Short mmCIF file of all heavy atoms in Angstrom, two decimals:
data_model
loop_
_atom_site.label_atom_id
_atom_site.label_comp_id
_atom_site.label_asym_id
_atom_site.label_seq_id
_atom_site.Cartn_x
_atom_site.Cartn_y
_atom_site.Cartn_z
N THR A 48 -104.04 37.45 -28.87
CA THR A 48 -104.68 36.13 -28.93
C THR A 48 -103.68 35.10 -28.54
O THR A 48 -102.60 34.95 -29.03
CB THR A 48 -105.20 35.83 -30.33
OG1 THR A 48 -106.07 36.88 -30.76
CG2 THR A 48 -105.90 34.54 -30.43
N LEU A 49 -104.10 34.33 -27.48
CA LEU A 49 -103.22 33.25 -26.92
C LEU A 49 -103.90 31.91 -27.31
O LEU A 49 -105.06 31.69 -26.91
CB LEU A 49 -103.01 33.35 -25.46
CG LEU A 49 -102.40 34.69 -24.96
CD1 LEU A 49 -102.38 34.78 -23.47
CD2 LEU A 49 -101.04 34.90 -25.55
N THR A 50 -103.21 31.06 -28.09
CA THR A 50 -103.78 29.81 -28.53
C THR A 50 -102.95 28.74 -27.81
O THR A 50 -101.79 28.52 -28.04
CB THR A 50 -103.69 29.64 -30.05
OG1 THR A 50 -104.31 30.76 -30.65
CG2 THR A 50 -104.27 28.34 -30.55
N LYS A 51 -103.66 28.00 -27.01
CA LYS A 51 -103.08 26.92 -26.23
C LYS A 51 -103.26 25.58 -27.00
O LYS A 51 -104.39 25.28 -27.38
CB LYS A 51 -103.71 26.74 -24.81
CG LYS A 51 -103.19 25.60 -23.93
CD LYS A 51 -103.86 25.59 -22.64
CE LYS A 51 -105.19 24.91 -22.75
NZ LYS A 51 -105.80 24.55 -21.44
N GLN A 52 -102.18 24.85 -27.21
CA GLN A 52 -102.20 23.66 -27.90
C GLN A 52 -102.40 22.52 -26.90
O GLN A 52 -101.64 22.51 -25.88
CB GLN A 52 -100.95 23.39 -28.73
CG GLN A 52 -100.71 24.42 -29.79
CD GLN A 52 -99.36 24.29 -30.45
OE1 GLN A 52 -98.58 23.40 -30.16
NE2 GLN A 52 -99.13 25.16 -31.44
N GLU A 57 -107.01 22.83 -30.15
CA GLU A 57 -106.54 24.18 -29.77
C GLU A 57 -107.62 25.02 -29.08
O GLU A 57 -108.81 24.91 -29.44
CB GLU A 57 -106.06 25.01 -31.01
CG GLU A 57 -104.84 24.42 -31.67
CD GLU A 57 -104.45 25.19 -32.90
OE1 GLU A 57 -105.25 25.98 -33.43
OE2 GLU A 57 -103.30 25.01 -33.30
N GLU A 58 -107.28 25.82 -28.14
CA GLU A 58 -108.19 26.74 -27.50
C GLU A 58 -107.62 28.13 -27.52
O GLU A 58 -106.42 28.30 -27.11
CB GLU A 58 -108.42 26.27 -26.05
CG GLU A 58 -109.35 27.17 -25.29
CD GLU A 58 -109.55 26.83 -23.82
OE1 GLU A 58 -109.11 25.68 -23.43
OE2 GLU A 58 -110.12 27.62 -23.11
N SER A 59 -108.34 29.10 -28.06
CA SER A 59 -107.86 30.42 -28.25
C SER A 59 -108.53 31.44 -27.22
O SER A 59 -109.78 31.27 -27.11
CB SER A 59 -108.04 30.98 -29.61
OG SER A 59 -107.18 30.23 -30.51
N LEU A 60 -107.85 32.26 -26.64
CA LEU A 60 -108.38 33.34 -25.80
C LEU A 60 -107.91 34.63 -26.31
O LEU A 60 -106.62 34.76 -26.58
CB LEU A 60 -107.99 33.14 -24.32
CG LEU A 60 -108.58 31.94 -23.57
CD1 LEU A 60 -107.98 31.76 -22.27
CD2 LEU A 60 -110.09 32.15 -23.40
N LEU A 77 -105.47 33.61 -17.63
CA LEU A 77 -105.35 32.44 -18.45
C LEU A 77 -104.98 31.30 -17.54
O LEU A 77 -103.82 31.24 -17.09
CB LEU A 77 -104.32 32.60 -19.57
CG LEU A 77 -104.08 31.35 -20.50
CD1 LEU A 77 -105.41 30.90 -21.14
CD2 LEU A 77 -103.09 31.66 -21.51
N ILE A 134 -97.73 24.60 -24.44
CA ILE A 134 -97.20 25.50 -25.50
C ILE A 134 -98.34 26.48 -25.92
O ILE A 134 -99.45 26.04 -26.08
CB ILE A 134 -96.82 24.69 -26.73
CG1 ILE A 134 -95.58 23.86 -26.35
CG2 ILE A 134 -96.41 25.54 -27.84
CD1 ILE A 134 -95.11 22.89 -27.36
N ILE A 135 -98.01 27.73 -25.97
CA ILE A 135 -98.97 28.80 -26.27
C ILE A 135 -98.42 29.64 -27.47
O ILE A 135 -97.32 30.14 -27.37
CB ILE A 135 -99.26 29.71 -25.07
CG1 ILE A 135 -99.82 28.95 -23.96
CG2 ILE A 135 -100.15 30.85 -25.43
CD1 ILE A 135 -99.99 29.73 -22.67
N ASN A 136 -99.24 29.78 -28.46
CA ASN A 136 -98.89 30.57 -29.69
C ASN A 136 -99.44 31.93 -29.48
O ASN A 136 -100.57 32.08 -28.98
CB ASN A 136 -99.37 29.98 -30.97
CG ASN A 136 -98.68 28.67 -31.34
OD1 ASN A 136 -97.43 28.58 -31.14
ND2 ASN A 136 -99.42 27.71 -31.75
N ILE A 137 -98.73 32.97 -29.87
CA ILE A 137 -99.10 34.37 -29.69
C ILE A 137 -99.41 35.04 -31.01
O ILE A 137 -98.61 34.93 -31.97
CB ILE A 137 -98.06 35.17 -29.00
CG1 ILE A 137 -97.78 34.55 -27.59
CG2 ILE A 137 -98.31 36.66 -28.91
CD1 ILE A 137 -96.56 35.18 -26.84
N GLU A 138 -100.53 35.74 -31.11
CA GLU A 138 -100.92 36.51 -32.26
C GLU A 138 -101.35 37.89 -31.74
O GLU A 138 -102.11 37.99 -30.79
CB GLU A 138 -102.07 35.89 -33.04
CG GLU A 138 -101.66 34.67 -33.81
CD GLU A 138 -100.57 34.85 -34.79
OE1 GLU A 138 -100.58 35.93 -35.51
OE2 GLU A 138 -99.67 33.97 -34.97
N LYS A 152 -111.21 25.58 -31.17
CA LYS A 152 -111.05 25.04 -32.46
C LYS A 152 -110.87 23.55 -32.28
O LYS A 152 -110.04 23.16 -31.51
CB LYS A 152 -109.90 25.63 -33.20
CG LYS A 152 -110.00 27.10 -33.46
CD LYS A 152 -108.73 27.59 -34.14
CE LYS A 152 -108.73 29.09 -34.32
NZ LYS A 152 -107.53 29.58 -34.90
#
Side-chain angles (χ1 to χ4, degrees):
T48 303
L49 303 176
T50 304
K51 180 178 82 167
Q52 299 174 359
E57 295 180 340
E58 180 183 349
S59 294
L60 290 171
L77 177 58
I134 295 174
I135 298 173
N136 293 318
I137 297 173
E138 291 298 323
K152 297 179 184 175

